[in-house]
Amino acid sequence: MEKIDKIYNEENLKLLLDTNSLSRNKNLNTLMNFLNNIDNQLVLNLDDNWGTGKTVFLSQLIYLGNEENSIENVPDISSNVVKTFREKYHTFYFNAWEHDFYDDPLESLIYSLLMKIKTDDEINSVEKETLDYITGLLKKAGILALDKTIKKISSGMIELQDFKKSENKTTTRIISMEEKKNTITKLVECILEFKQKNLLIVIDELDRCKPSYAVKILEVIKHFFVNNETVFLFGSNKEELAKTVEHEYGTKFEGYKYLNRFFDFEFSSPSINSKEYIYSQLKPKSNSHYYYLSSVKVCNYFNFHMRDINKYCSLYGTLNKFFDNSIYGIEKNRLIQFLILPYSLGLKIESAEKFKLFINGQGLEDLLNFYSFDPVYFDKFATEETAFEKLKKIYELFEIAKKRKELNRLASDQSNYNERDLYALEEMFDVLTMMAD
């Protein structure tokens, strides 16, 4: 199984939309319809906890806004709504966290915006006068670190170095806030005229940025991007972002109230359908149905959000493939394969401290609590006795497995235990021990 805790490419985004495995298509359609009816500048925020899938939701919105992407027969998505959305907006995604090593967020934002808008196919159609105008605006705004961008979008015709040479070497030009604001406004107007659409600028992961950069981004948008044809959509955890603001301005500063004044409209990402999403990620075959069902039990038991589900599915899928090809055959002991192993991986994601206690023989009570989450289901994997009793016996083997490792599997250590259980547990124990170190 491929690693799935990653940035979603277009293939993955299309699959999620086509299958509606997140049960969010209806919400995407509602958001597009809402955006289609905005006639002035708004700053919106998709507010939810970390790991709930905000980035995926926003990425799906960007995907739907791309005219090259097919949206035929996508459930709960209106083709008319998408058509209007695409006609009205040029969408732009900016991951603030990936740029917070820059000192100036205004530069990094404009750099990314220009690189997105001026695609290679558009270069030849852009008049040199337009490029001269854009370059002049950037110079006037004091943004002189974009040489490579301007050179690229103008096919080498224009370089900011040409303007730098004419500057007085003995004086520093002081650019007022109002002048900078006016020139950035003109730059945005130039872009809007060029694209013949409104701008939807999506800014993601702001709550993960260093405090100074996060606050600068907010200030840049508040002061410099003033245009009724531009809409900003943030993806951030408002509570965490408020703490970031307070860290920058001081604990007495009320970060939450500051954000209330900044965001015009806020909404939350809908909860995903974890059962359908896990199914779409694991893609179980008929002979691995329990592999899927046990994963649902674990993710529901620990109340995992989307990011945690991704991590779990990636780990469980990889380890199951490893054990299927191993010499001892953990797959022959279904209680270990479909209860102890998935629970262990879920515990690893939930709490590193509890995971270490578990593999050191101090987690039986928590393991039995997990069994009690659905005893009827887990009893399917035990013969002659309940899974409850079998679990207690197997868990005792954790210490034996460690001794076998140390004593090179001496026969005296195995006489009173089920050999098949011991081999399977030892194999799993070796892997889990590496994960705990």
Side-chain angles (χ1 to χ4, degrees):
M1 176 182 166
E2 65 176 343
K3 183 179 179 181
I4 57 181
D5 187 19
K6 60 182 181 181
I7 298 175
Y8 281 78
N9 57 35
E10 290 191 352
E11 182 181 355
N12 290 328
L13 293 172
K14 177 175 172 53
L15 177 63
L16 291 174
L17 287 167
D18 288 344
T19 60
N20 196 20
S21 55
L22 297 178
S23 299
R24 286 177 166 181
N25 284 9
K26 185 176 181 180
N27 302 92
L28 284 164
N29 194 76
T30 300
L31 177 57
M32 286 188 293
N33 203 14
F34 176 81
L35 291 168
N36 290 345
N37 288 281
I38 292 177
D39 295 323
N40 58 311
Q41 184 179 51
L42 284 181
V43 179
L44 316 176
N45 184 43
L46 173 61
D47 176 25
D48 219 328
N49 294 327
W50 287 338
T52 53
K54 295 188 297 296
T55 295
V56 175
F57 186 82
L58 295 174
S59 297
Q60 287 180 296
L61 180 67
I62 296 294
Y63 179 90
L64 289 168
N66 188 338
E67 295 179 352
E68 297 180 358
N69 296 327
S70 172
I71 46 91
E72 295 181 4
N73 302 318
V74 177
D76 293 334
I77 296 291
S78 167
S79 58
N80 289 331
V81 170
V82 174
K83 182 175 182 292
T84 303
F85 181 63
R86 290 177 174 181
E87 289 174 348
K88 182 167 184 174
Y89 290 104
H90 178 78
T91 56
F92 167 64
Y93 178 85
F94 181 78
N95 189 311
W97 187 50
E98 293 179 355
H99 293 82
D100 78 342
F101 57 89
Y102 290 113
D103 292 330
D104 190 339
L106 180 58
E107 289 187 1
S108 57
L109 183 58
I110 291 178
Y111 177 95
S112 301
L113 181 59
L114 288 177
M115 294 305 294
K116 170 67 166 60
I117 290 175
K118 302 294 184 297
T119 63
D120 291 338
D121 291 337
E122 293 172 332
I123 287 174
N124 294 330
S125 66
V126 180
E127 295 292 335
K128 186 177 184 301
E129 289 77 8
T130 303
L131 293 168
D132 282 334
Y133 182 60
I134 292 176
T135 305
L137 288 174
L138 293 174
K139 174 185 176 292
K140 189 177 181 182
I143 304 172
L144 301 176
L146 301 176
D147 301 52
K148 293 182 180 178
T149 306
I150 297 301
K151 186 174 181 179
K152 181 173 181 178
I153 66 175
S154 63
S155 297
M157 292 187 293
I158 303 172
E159 293 189 58
L160 288 179
Q161 291 294 338
D162 297 336
F163 293 92
K164 291 181 181 180
K165 293 175 183 177
S166 63
E167 292 182 337
N168 191 321
K169 296 180 181 180
T170 60
T171 62
T172 301
R173 185 174 180 218
I174 300 175
I175 303 172
S176 70
M177 288 286 288
E178 190 63 27
E179 183 180 8
K180 203 168 188 177
K181 176 180 176 180
N182 290 338
T183 52
I184 294 300
T185 299
K186 290 178 182 178
L187 172 61
V188 172
E189 289 174 352
C190 182
I191 292 172
L192 291 169
E193 183 179 356
F194 177 70
K195 297 302 296 184
Q196 292 295 303
K197 293 182 179 182
N198 291 9
L199 270 178
L200 173 62
I201 300 177
V202 176
I203 298 182
D204 197 13
E205 306 273 26
L206 190 64
D207 48 342
R208 298 179 68 185
C209 294
K210 58 185 180 183
S212 60
Y213 187 86
V215 170
K216 283 180 181 179
I217 280 277
L218 295 173
E219 295 296 327
V220 159
I221 291 169
K222 180 173 68 174
H223 291 298
F224 299 123
F225 288 85
V226 181
N227 189 291
N228 283 335
E229 295 178 353
T230 302
V231 174
F232 284 90
L233 172 56
F234 284 81
S236 68
N237 183 323
K238 187 178 178 182
E239 184 176 349
E240 293 299 326
L241 187 56
K243 294 177 183 177
T244 297
V245 172
E246 290 168 1
H247 183 277
E248 185 66 10
Y249 287 126
T251 55
K252 293 184 179 180
F253 187 85
E254 296 184 84
Y256 203 84
K257 287 187 177 180
Y258 168 84
L259 294 175
N260 281 341
R261 294 192 298 268
F262 183 81
F263 296 131
D264 299 308
F265 187 86
E266 299 174 67
F267 59 100
S268 299
S269 56
S271 300
I272 67 171
N273 185 321
S274 58
K275 187 174 182 180
E276 290 187 14
Y277 182 62
I278 293 169
Y279 189 92
S280 72
Q281 299 305 309
L282 295 178
K283 301 178 181 65
K285 299 177 181 178
S286 58
N287 61 351
S288 59
H289 190 58
Y290 291 130
Y291 159 63
Y292 154 68
L293 290 177
S294 293
S295 298
V296 173
K297 305 294 182 188
V298 169
C299 293
N300 287 342
Y301 179 76
F302 288 110
N303 195 27
F304 281 164
H305 293 307
M306 188 174 178
R307 185 175 295 166
D308 292 330
I309 291 175
N310 285 347
K311 291 180 181 179
Y312 169 83
C313 289
S314 183
L315 281 173
Y316 192 33
T318 299
L319 290 183
N320 260 292
K321 184 176 181 180
F322 165 75
F323 289 131
D324 284 347
N325 296 318
S326 64
I327 59 175
Y328 300 130
I330 191 174
E331 77 281 356
K332 295 179 181 178
N333 191 312
R334 300 201 303 169
L335 195 61
I336 294 178
Q337 184 181 18
F338 298 127
L339 194 158
I340 297 179
L341 176 60
Y343 168 77
S344 301
L345 299 180
L347 188 63
K348 166 69 175 176
I349 295 170
E350 175 71 10
S351 170
E353 182 179 354
K354 289 184 178 181
F355 177 73
K356 288 183 179 181
L357 292 173
F358 174 76
I359 65 171
N360 284 319
Q362 301 175 56
L364 177 60
E365 182 177 352
D366 288 338
L367 177 63
L368 295 177
N369 286 338
F370 173 64
Y371 158 81
S372 300
F373 187 61
D374 193 342
V376 175
Y377 169 73
F378 292 121
D379 279 342
K380 296 177 182 179
F381 308 125
T383 56
E384 300 178 358
E385 56 187 335
T386 65
F388 184 88
E389 296 299 325
K390 181 72 172 179
L391 274 177
K392 290 193 291 185
K393 292 180 180 179
I394 290 179
Y395 195 67
E396 292 176 4
L397 299 181
F398 267 73
E399 289 299 320
I400 303 300
K402 285 190 285 188
K403 288 182 180 179
R404 282 171 60 106
K405 181 75 173 176
E406 296 167 1
L407 301 176
N408 198 25
R409 300 189 180 98
L410 293 177
S412 59
D413 285 323
Q414 29 179 307
S415 56
N416 296 323
Y417 298 94
N418 183 302
E419 185 69 13
R420 187 181 67 181
D421 290 344
L422 198 51
Y423 273 121
L425 189 64
E426 181 181 356
E427 183 180 34
M428 185 188 73
F429 176 79
D430 286 344
V431 174
L432 295 182
T433 300
M434 289 190 293
M435 292 173 60
D437 293 336

